[in-house]
Amino acid sequence: MTLQMDVPASTADEYPTRKAPEPALLDRKDPVLWGTGEGPFTQEELEGYDRRGYTQVEAFVTGTEVATYRNELDRLAADPALRGDERLVVEPTSEEVRSVFDVHRISPVFSDLVNDPRLVERARQVLGSEVYVHQSRVNYKPGFGGGAFYWHSDFETWHAEDGMPRMRACSFSIALTENFSHNGALMIMPGSHKTFVSCVGETPEGHYRSSLKSQQVGTPDGGSLSLLADRHGIDVLTGGAGGVTVFDSNCMHGSGGNITPFPRSNVFIVFNSVENACAEPFSAPSPRPEFLSSRDFTPVGR
């Protein structure tokens, strides 16, 4: 049964963005760790998450599971039924698949994954409540042409365009290939999750269509990025296939293009607290589609 929760029609905007002519750096008003600390994450992993905004677990899934997920990745990319579907996004400069969204609804394999206790119990541990899937996708970043993802805070978009009230969501990025420093690995400014970058520029109707390939509105300005990089530095997150990076919704992160022969693919799942369900957008004329911002707040893993 699908649970559609009642949410307030309007909520005070604690993180205003895309509303002022100048960017601003705002202090985080929310906890990073909402739970009691009990769960599968070790105390060291939780302390790293609180301090840096992310934590990593090596060999999070088995080699057999990685092979299964990669086969499903290939199947989705080759599925003719998905061509022309908004959930499949191609690279800006080619017809190679960049991402497939809503994979937990498209694929039984990834439906099982989002309900896996290894993920769900960790998400509950960090967020301090039952959780639902706000968004899921697979990213391909093929060799010789995988495009860059410019610096951004996911929460800025989820708040502005999806109506997510607070920083009470976390993302799981499971590596399906080796993550080298040279094949477009994820980069994070550790500690940046404690500062919200308020961006400039009004959100146009249907902005998601262009932003999925190359985002312009909602991207942080160079001055704010330079300040955060000077303050926190940049971590390049490498590691083997099967590892997971779990990071806070407000981490400033991005990745470069991939001009090597080595693809960098991952499955990406966003868990949000059921107590933080999205309402009306704070800085957009209408919410993004369901495949980008789920309005099904049914708890997973039960």
Side-chain angles (χ1 to χ4, degrees):
M1 181 178 69
T2 297
L3 173 65
Q4 297 291 346
M5 294 179 60
D6 291 329
V7 294
S10 62
T11 306
D13 190 352
E14 297 278 7
Y15 299 102
T17 186
R18 311 188 195 182
K19 294 178 177 178
E22 298 293 334
L25 299 178
L26 308 176
D27 290 337
R28 183 188 183 113
K29 300 178 185 295
D30 294 314
V32 177
L33 296 172
W34 293 75
T36 62
E38 298 179 1
F41 274 134
T42 67
Q43 190 61 34
E44 181 180 8
E45 288 167 341
L46 287 177
E47 288 173 357
Y49 185 93
D50 185 55
R51 181 178 67 257
R52 298 188 305 263
Y54 74 89
T55 196
Q56 292 181 287
V57 180
E58 295 181 2
F60 184 73
V61 298
T62 68
T64 300
E65 289 172 311
V66 168
T68 298
Y69 301 148
R70 288 179 65 170
N71 287 338
E72 189 68 352
L73 198 79
D74 293 341
R75 186 190 72 81
L76 291 170
D79 186 351
L82 285 176
R83 289 289 168 166
D85 190 310
E86 281 193 309
R87 293 174 295 182
L88 185 145
V89 181
V90 298
E91 291 287 348
T93 57
S94 73
E95 288 302 307
E96 288 199 80
V97 177
R98 180 180 178 91
S99 301
V100 178
F101 285 82
D102 220 20
V103 290
H104 70 294
R105 290 177 177 149
I106 296 174
S107 161
V109 170
F110 292 124
S111 176
D112 289 343
L113 181 61
V114 302
N115 286 281
D116 191 309
R118 289 171 294 181
L119 284 72
V120 176
E121 290 177 9
R122 283 174 168 83
R124 290 184 189 134
Q125 187 179 7
V126 169
L127 302 179
S129 70
E130 296 292 328
V131 299
Y132 72 94
V133 177
H134 174 70
Q135 185 189 103
S136 70
R137 68 177 186 263
V138 286
N139 295 323
Y140 288 79
K141 191 159 282 199
F144 299 127
F149 289 85
Y150 191 69
W151 290 106
H152 63 285
S153 153
D154 288 327
F155 178 75
E156 195 279 340
T157 295
W158 300 341
H159 184 70
E161 299 188 42
D162 299 341
M164 185 179 289
R166 313 211 69 87
M167 297 175 182
R168 199 174 177 181
C170 61
S171 300
F172 285 65
S173 177
I174 300 174
L176 304 184
T177 54
E178 186 84 12
N179 285 265
F180 302 107
S181 60
H182 50 260
N183 69 336
L186 180 69
M187 298 183 289
I188 288 180
M189 297 183 187
S192 60
H193 61 305
K194 297 188 178 179
T195 304
F196 178 72
V197 179
S198 178
C199 299
V200 300
E202 187 175 339
T203 311
E205 184 68 57
H207 175 241
Y208 74 92
R209 292 187 179 89
S210 60
S211 69
L212 291 179
K213 292 187 177 183
S214 179
Q215 186 166 347
Q216 303 298 323
V217 177
T219 54
D221 64 290
S224 296
L225 288 172
S226 296
L227 190 151
L228 290 175
D230 287 344
R231 181 186 296 171
H232 301 294
I234 296 173
D235 288 352
V236 181
L237 307 187
T238 59
V244 67
T245 299
V246 185
F247 59 100
D248 180 83
S249 60
N250 190 48
C251 277
M252 190 61 67
H253 65 287
S255 63
N258 184 12
I259 61 171
T260 76
F262 313 113
R264 187 185 77 84
S265 299
N266 68 306
V267 55
F268 183 84
I269 301 163
V270 181
F271 293 104
N272 189 27
S273 167
V274 296
E275 299 171 12
N276 191 44
C278 295
E280 290 302 309
F282 288 89
S283 300
S286 59
R288 296 193 300 172
E290 178 80 15
F291 74 89
L292 295 174
S293 171
S294 178
R295 299 285 159 160
D296 176 1
F297 309 127
T298 306
V300 292
R302 291 301 186 194

